[in-house]
Amino acid sequence: PAEEAEDASKLTKRDRSHLENTLKLNEDKPADDFSGVLQRLRKIYHSSIKPLEQSYRYNELRQHEITDGEITSKPMVLFLGPWSVGKSSMINYLLGLDNTPYQLYTGAEPTTSEFTVIMHGPKLKTIEGIVMAADSARSFSPLEKFGQNFLEKLIGIEVPHKLLERVTFVDTPGIIENRKQQERGYPFNDVCQWFIDRADLIFIVFDPTKLDVGLELEMLFRQLKGRESQIRIILNKADSLATQELMRVYGALFWSLAPLINVTEPPRVYVSSFWPQDYHPDTHRDLFLKEEISLLEDLNQVIENRMENKIAFIRQHAIRVRIHALLVDRYLQTYKDKMTFFSDGELVFRDIVEDPDKFFIFKSILAKTNVSKFDLPNREAYKDFFGINPITSFKLLSQQCSYMGGCFLEKIEKAITRELPDLLGSIGLGKKPNVLSCDITGCGETPKNRYRKP
């Protein structure tokens, strides 16, 4: 080991200029000022979406409340994957934290047991999870609901780094397949879901020695359903293999992931080695460097599209709130229709909740405009929802109108179909399309913005 340590110290560090150039870290151009757009976005949310959300207690269905801190927060990049594949090393490398007091701890055994949020701050400092959750200006206050045990496993690190002015990184505990959820002492999957719902880019990191997919990883991919466009898969430590072996490992990785990601277009897999040491001699340096630049461009694209992504996120949220309101309204209408003077209200409603299809509740919602069957929540969720919220505590949508304020449903529909798309259009006008050269990106690899019509 002593000799190995000596060899390691002899390893030359790799040149970082491509990092600085691709991420534009040396440019002193002022960041785009989107404060006006954010003001309008907050106004639309508070006046057109939140009233319906509160009236039909949407938060109790999805546990998803949007705070002002979240509307104004920076894009978030989430690192997931098995233990010891190099997630923390990759963050250290991107931010140049190696050999500084604030480098994330790395090693061959499972080292990260916390959710670590790396964000911008004027000087290096660590923030306890309890403090982060108590500060409502940050976007992490909703994490309080996961309890004290979790907050002890949440840590924030502020670093004065140019890249963090534009993006926040989240490092997660590695997935250990033989470990039970209960051993963590907090609802690990729920916490992951919270971060997944808010991430703009999700890096799932593997290394050549950990390609087996067990239950915990399978569960994670189930939680990533619908977020395929944000996922990038990274095969790290690629320079530790000879070419033929690398080809075999690459194939094996696709083979293990194929059943878990069923989309027509497979996610992009980046093959490289993300740490500061130079690539091993006799490996495909050029390929690894190109892959790394491609990944950095992906990251840059997310930063540049942050407003579009934010508006799309709020619009997606509004669509779900609207569907939830239509469903509760339909349950209530059916209940009122079935009630007679002699009925037992509880029995009547139990009948409806147990078998909504008998009363065409979900079918009738699909018949409405702009409702996709993929957006419909699951029927079981409503059994739990009405277990906590009695049907009689809700009002029909037709009664949710006021002379001055208009109707809740009309307002949210106007936000979804007109106001949010208009806001999206207003940003588009000021931006020039990025001209990317094909030899760097391999063309066709810039992330598509799925929300903008061609």
Side-chain angles (χ1 to χ4, degrees):
E3 287 164 25
E4 277 178 30
E6 220 168 292
D7 285 350
S9 65
K10 282 183 205 157
L11 282 178
T12 47
K13 289 270 201 281
R14 103 177 50 152
D15 176 37
R16 292 178 61 86
S17 58
H18 64 285
L19 272 168
E20 284 160 10
N21 297 340
T22 314
L23 294 172
K24 309 188 171 98
L25 297 180
N26 296 330
E27 292 183 18
D28 276 338
K29 66 175 177 76
D32 298 330
D33 182 26
F34 285 126
S35 52
V37 177
L38 282 171
Q39 274 324 101
R40 280 175 61 195
L41 186 57
R42 273 173 53 185
K43 191 164 179 269
I44 294 172
Y45 174 67
H46 283 289
S47 64
S48 306
I49 302 169
K50 201 164 184 175
L52 200 58
E53 191 181 320
Q54 288 177 326
S55 176
Y56 287 98
R57 302 190 200 140
Y58 177 74
N59 184 32
E60 291 186 22
L61 180 80
R62 282 265 317 193
Q63 293 257 307
H64 193 159
E65 221 169 338
I66 293 184
T67 58
D68 277 355
E70 203 170 331
I71 293 177
T72 53
S73 66
K74 294 171 187 160
M76 185 194 289
V77 179
L78 184 61
F79 289 78
L80 298 166
W83 57 279
S84 257
V85 289
K87 300 188 289 294
S88 305
S89 301
M90 188 168 167
I91 294 174
N92 284 339
Y93 170 57
L94 289 173
L95 297 175
L97 294 181
D98 301 274
N99 305 325
T100 70
Y102 280 78
Q103 66 172 359
L104 300 182
Y105 185 60
T106 60
E109 72 288 355
T111 49
T112 307
S113 62
E114 290 103 2
F115 280 80
T116 311
V117 179
I118 300 100
M119 50 202 161
H120 185 264
K123 59 179 198 296
L124 288 170
K125 74 168 186 193
T126 310
I127 303 168
E128 298 294 317
I130 297 165
V131 178
M132 279 169 67
D135 180 356
S136 57
R138 292 187 195 279
S139 49
F140 300 103
S141 51
L143 284 168
E144 238 172 342
K145 66 168 178 258
F146 295 119
Q148 210 52 38
N149 275 358
F150 166 67
L151 291 182
E152 285 169 15
K153 295 276 183 212
L154 174 69
I155 189 163
I157 298 178
E158 287 192 347
V159 184
H161 191 282
K162 208 79 194 260
L163 180 58
L164 294 175
E165 289 176 11
R166 299 180 292 158
V167 68
T168 297
F169 287 145
V170 179
D171 192 13
T172 58
I175 287 165
I176 301 176
E177 285 304 349
N178 53 12
R179 169 153 328 163
K180 301 274 182 295
Q181 272 251 294
Q182 297 74 7
E183 287 176 35
R184 294 189 189 266
Y186 60 88
F188 179 70
N189 288 354
D190 294 349
V191 173
C192 278
Q193 189 66 61
W194 189 90
F195 280 105
I196 287 166
D197 282 344
R198 287 156 181 76
D200 296 78
L201 197 56
I202 300 168
F203 289 143
I204 305 178
V205 189
F206 291 93
D207 82 359
T209 62
K210 297 192 186 64
L211 299 179
D212 51 325
V213 172
L215 283 174
E216 203 164 73
L217 203 59
E218 215 169 292
M219 178 70 196
L220 186 71
F221 273 98
R222 215 169 298 147
Q223 292 180 281
L224 290 163
K225 278 263 171 295
R227 304 303 305 261
E228 285 81 6
S229 63
Q230 274 95 2
I231 296 174
R232 305 287 180 273
I233 288 166
I234 293 171
L235 179 54
N236 200 6
K237 309 184 187 176
D239 63 347
S240 60
L241 299 175
T243 308
Q244 207 172 352
E245 225 180 323
L246 182 59
M247 299 276 287
R248 208 169 53 236
V249 164
Y250 186 77
L253 179 63
F254 256 103
W255 181 255
S256 352
L257 296 181
L260 302 179
I261 307 179
N262 45 1
V263 283
T264 45
E265 215 177 289
R268 173 75 163 90
V269 177
Y270 293 98
V271 183
S272 190
S273 176
F274 293 93
W275 70 326
Q277 316 302 356
D278 208 355
Y279 301 113
H280 276 274
D282 308 325
T283 54
H284 294 271
R285 309 173 64 92
D286 293 351
L287 168 74
F288 297 153
L289 187 62
K290 272 188 177 162
E291 289 278 275
E292 194 174 304
I293 290 173
S294 258
L295 179 101
L296 296 172
E297 286 182 340
D298 243 355
L299 179 57
N300 224 11
Q301 195 80 25
V302 160
I303 293 170
E304 297 201 344
N305 289 346
R306 68 189 180 282
M307 275 319 300
E308 285 95 324
N309 292 343
K310 190 79 74 182
I311 294 169
F313 167 71
I314 298 285
R315 185 168 178 269
Q316 189 62 45
H317 177 76
I319 289 169
R320 289 189 181 132
V321 171
R322 170 181 177 255
I323 290 173
H324 170 66
L326 290 169
L327 277 167
V328 175
D329 178 64
R330 184 68 198 171
Y331 271 103
L332 183 55
Q333 191 64 63
T334 310
Y335 170 72
K336 289 192 177 230
D337 293 348
K338 293 277 165 269
M339 278 297 280
T340 63
F341 185 67
F342 299 105
S343 322
D344 174 340
E346 219 158 286
L347 285 176
V348 170
F349 192 61
R350 193 175 310 146
D351 188 29
I352 300 171
V353 168
E354 287 302 322
D355 190 3
D357 291 349
K358 187 164 92 182
F359 301 96
F360 302 110
I361 286 186
F362 284 77
K363 279 219 172 77
S364 68
I365 300 301
L366 277 178
K368 300 228 182 254
T369 49
N370 298 340
V371 175
S372 147
K373 66 170 190 268
F374 299 109
D375 286 331
L376 280 185
N378 133 2
R379 291 158 173 64
E380 294 303 308
Y382 281 92
K383 283 187 193 170
D384 299 343
F385 178 78
F386 287 121
I388 312 166
N389 304 291
I391 186 70
T392 47
S393 62
F394 294 104
K395 281 159 73 175
L396 286 169
L397 274 170
S398 55
Q399 295 167 345
Q400 305 263 18
C401 297
S402 69
Y403 180 66
M404 294 296 284
C407 297
F408 283 1
L409 184 64
E410 278 172 20
K411 284 170 80 169
I412 200 167
E413 286 178 346
K414 187 172 152 205
I416 293 168
T417 54
R418 288 224 315 273
E419 294 173 345
L420 291 168
D422 287 354
L423 195 54
L424 198 55
S426 72
I427 311 173
L429 297 174
K431 290 179 83 170
K432 295 183 184 67
N434 281 5
V435 184
L436 294 164
S437 68
C438 282
D439 44 295
I440 298 181
T441 59
C443 272
E445 284 178 9
T446 38
K448 296 188 252 320
N449 186 341
R450 295 169 303 140
Y451 303 100
R452 192 175 275 175
K453 292 196 167 66

